[in-house]
Amino acid sequence: MTSSSAPSRKALSKIATNRLQKELVEWQMNPPTGFKHKVTDNLQRWVIEVIGAPGTLYANDTYQLQVDFPEHYPMESPQVIFLHPAPLHPHIYSNGHICLDILYDSWSPAMTVSSICISILSMLSSSTEKQRPPDNDRYVKNCKNGRSPKETRWWFHDDKV
Amino acid sequence: MLVELCEEAVERLTIMNHPDGDCPLCLYPLFPEDEGSKQMPFMKLMSCFHCFHCECIIRWWNWLHAQKDADSESGDASHTRRGSTAEQGNSGSADESLGNCPVCRKIFHASDIEHVLDLVGTQSPQPDSGLIQGEEEDPLLQSDSENIRRERFESILKTQEEKGGLVQPKKNISVVPGMYLPPPTPASSSPNKEEEAGQSQEQGEEEPKEAESETNSSSSANRRGRGRGRGRGRGHNPNRRKQTLQDPRKPMRQWVQRAREGDN
């Protein structure tokens, strides 16, 4: 498990801390279906277990999402990646990076961890084949040393999956 | 009884107007139900009616603009920040004045949130430059000449009030320089500030001349004011006063230009 690809980042701001605590409380009261938050004392990094939705290609598979929050969350988007092994999906690279616009350009501060999770599960569920993106090898080779997916210039072109 | 009913109704309606639920940005209630917790002002975007705490939406707005500024700076190093903001202010480009609702992404106009922009330490161009100007003018506003002018103005105002109001501008116009300037609060519009700057620069001997020029240029405004006021009677004094205080703005602007020409 690649747990220590921790980007050196600043501590959460006061506003970010307040908001995350609130999100955590709400998650505990009403977690999104198919997700389990792994309890840690680290508010800045959440590890979330994803269970593939029944009736989809990923039914009963479990994966782990790692969500890292920047200093100015929720103005800035969190960094969301799948921990190894990442699901086989045309928009998920083998290093765990996820090509999903709301995580980058289309981020809005009104989104929450919970809404991100639902988007990702929806993306998994609508996949029709378990396979890597066509440019997987090239991309992963360029992303050595635990580079953040937020530094990638993503190209969002496929809205079918 | 009826009054009580009405009051009750107004109160109920006010409470019903408070949006339920949480601010989508900080996730805390828009309108806290328990009196104990701190209440933050909230607002509604008029294009989509989504509600936010003023502070939250402004923080986000400023964040977006800070990002844009950073982008444009890194893109073109020859542009200073000041230059670029001035340009944005002038051209009013669509990007600058529009935003997307964080909830539904519907486009809203900057004027939607303008009234709350000052709530958070603001980085938007216009209020910022206004602040700087104000700081520059401050020493001027506290200078001796300015204080003298204020005292004079106040004494005039007092005598005017003692004599039963400000209804007879005819009598005073020719006598008093600066009587039509707004009350001695810090000037609200930049022309006024510049005008004051001009005045304190050419102090002393020049003053009669100024008075003359002001009288000349403002006489037309006064005539207008008087014409409007006729037939209203004394009961409308406050209104009259407002008009006469505002009318001379144009003459003052002319005055500024003259002062500048003098400097050159």
Side-chain angles (χ1 to χ4, degrees):
Chain A
M1 200 183 292
T2 56
S3 60
S4 60
S5 63
S8 63
R9 50 176 70 246
K10 286 184 185 167
L12 295 172
S13 69
K14 187 85 189 358
I15 293 158
T17 308
N18 283 343
R19 151 115 183 198
L20 272 175
Q21 276 164 349
K22 188 86 180 165
E23 275 196 59
L24 192 57
V25 169
E26 264 159 38
W27 176 293
Q28 281 159 352
M29 288 195 312
N30 183 24
T33 317
F35 294 91
K36 258 185 222 152
H37 176 237
K38 289 189 147 186
V39 182
T40 60
D41 55 358
N42 188 354
L43 193 63
Q44 197 164 8
R45 167 174 288 180
W46 294 20
V47 177
I48 297 164
E49 209 174 80
V50 191
I51 302 153
T56 68
L57 288 179
Y58 304 88
N60 298 322
D61 292 356
T62 56
Y63 304 99
Q64 297 198 73
L65 278 173
Q66 176 179 282
V67 187
D68 284 291
F69 298 95
E71 180 189 8
H72 294 295
Y73 179 79
M75 304 295 129
E76 269 178 276
S77 63
Q79 178 202 299
V80 186
I81 55 170
F82 273 105
L83 295 178
H84 192 76
L88 280 169
H89 184 280
H91 294 169
I92 299 170
Y93 292 86
S94 55
N95 61 359
H97 291 194
I98 307 164
C99 179
L100 180 61
D101 61 347
I102 58 157
L103 298 178
Y104 315 106
D105 304 14
S106 302
W107 168 253
S108 149
M111 293 173 183
T112 62
V113 183
S114 191
S115 73
I116 293 172
C117 285
I118 292 167
S119 295
I120 290 174
L121 189 60
S122 156
M123 190 181 93
L124 282 179
S125 301
S126 53
S127 170
T128 53
E129 47 186 355
K130 278 187 166 183
Q131 66 168 35
R132 290 276 174 234
D135 59 340
N136 183 65
D137 292 346
R138 187 161 47 92
Y139 177 75
V140 173
K141 218 168 90 187
N142 284 333
C143 282
K144 274 181 232 155
N145 306 326
R147 204 177 79 167
S148 164
K150 290 177 75 178
E151 289 162 31
T152 304
R153 283 206 176 179
W154 293 99
W155 233 54
F156 309 105
H157 50 281
D158 179 9
D159 54 3
K160 286 192 288 293
V161 177
Chain B
M1 175 66 183
L2 193 64
V3 174
E4 269 172 40
L5 260 177
C6 287
E7 274 174 3
E8 175 73 13
V10 166
E11 207 166 289
R12 289 274 164 114
L13 285 174
T14 316
I15 291 169
M16 278 159 70
N17 258 333
H18 292 147
D20 285 334
D22 302 333
C23 168
L25 302 185
C26 68
L27 307 182
Y28 285 81
L30 280 166
F31 191 80
E33 272 148 41
D34 48 330
E35 299 291 320
S37 53
K38 197 184 93 184
Q39 199 201 316
M40 287 163 76
F42 57 85
M43 60 159 295
K44 208 178 267 185
L45 290 178
M46 288 327 285
S47 48
C48 55
F49 305 116
H50 282 119
C51 295
F52 308 90
H53 287 130
C54 299
E55 209 181 307
C56 295
I57 186 105
I58 295 302
R59 187 181 301 118
W60 175 72
W61 177 264
N62 287 341
W63 170 265
L64 277 189
H65 284 253
Q67 296 296 100
K68 267 182 205 161
D69 278 0
D71 284 356
S72 63
E73 254 172 59
S74 63
D76 188 355
S78 68
H79 268 228
T80 61
R81 189 175 179 238
R82 220 147 213 298
S84 64
T85 51
E87 260 175 38
Q88 287 157 7
N90 289 338
S91 62
S93 68
D95 281 354
E96 283 306 309
S97 55
L98 297 178
N100 294 86
C101 169
V103 177
C104 64
R105 299 188 199 274
K106 186 156 182 170
I107 288 174
F108 68 86
H109 200 262
S111 57
D112 252 24
I113 59 168
E114 237 162 33
H115 61 292
V116 288
L117 263 181
D118 294 336
L119 276 180
V120 185
T122 175
Q123 291 158 21
S124 84
Q126 278 103 346
D128 203 29
S129 61
L131 208 73
I132 290 165
Q133 262 190 20
E135 277 162 12
E136 282 170 0
E137 298 291 336
D138 251 354
L140 202 66
L141 290 178
Q142 281 150 18
S143 66
D144 290 341
S145 63
E146 175 63 14
N147 285 340
I148 292 167
R149 197 185 65 77
R150 278 184 207 175
E151 276 169 28
R152 207 164 46 200
F153 180 82
E154 259 154 42
S155 65
I156 291 160
L157 201 68
K158 218 175 157 188
T159 45
Q160 280 177 334
E161 280 166 356
E162 278 168 4
K163 286 181 180 173
L166 308 139
V167 198
Q168 315 99 319
K170 193 182 174 185
K171 191 174 148 199
N172 292 324
I173 295 167
S174 52
V175 186
V176 191
M179 66 164 287
Y180 283 119
L181 293 176
T185 47
S188 57
S189 65
S190 49
N192 279 344
K193 283 176 210 157
E194 283 166 8
E195 177 268 320
E196 272 155 23
Q199 196 192 23
S200 65
Q201 274 170 17
E202 27 177 305
Q203 273 275 333
E205 296 95 5
E206 299 230 16
E207 220 159 61
K209 196 171 136 201
E210 278 173 30
E212 209 177 276
S213 69
E214 192 206 337
T215 320
N216 290 342
S217 53
S218 63
S219 61
S220 61
N222 284 326
R223 224 173 288 136
R224 242 192 301 138
R226 239 175 283 143
R228 243 186 281 157
R230 192 171 291 157
R232 272 188 185 171
R234 293 202 162 216
H236 292 277
N237 276 355
N239 290 344
R240 276 298 304 270
R241 197 177 147 202
K242 238 183 224 166
Q243 283 173 5
T244 45
L245 279 176
Q246 277 171 3
D247 276 339
R249 284 254 164 97
K250 268 180 204 162
M252 272 159 23
R253 216 161 279 156
Q254 289 170 4
W255 190 8
V256 174
Q257 284 171 356
R258 216 167 294 164
R260 273 186 183 159
E261 281 162 19
D263 285 347
N264 296 338

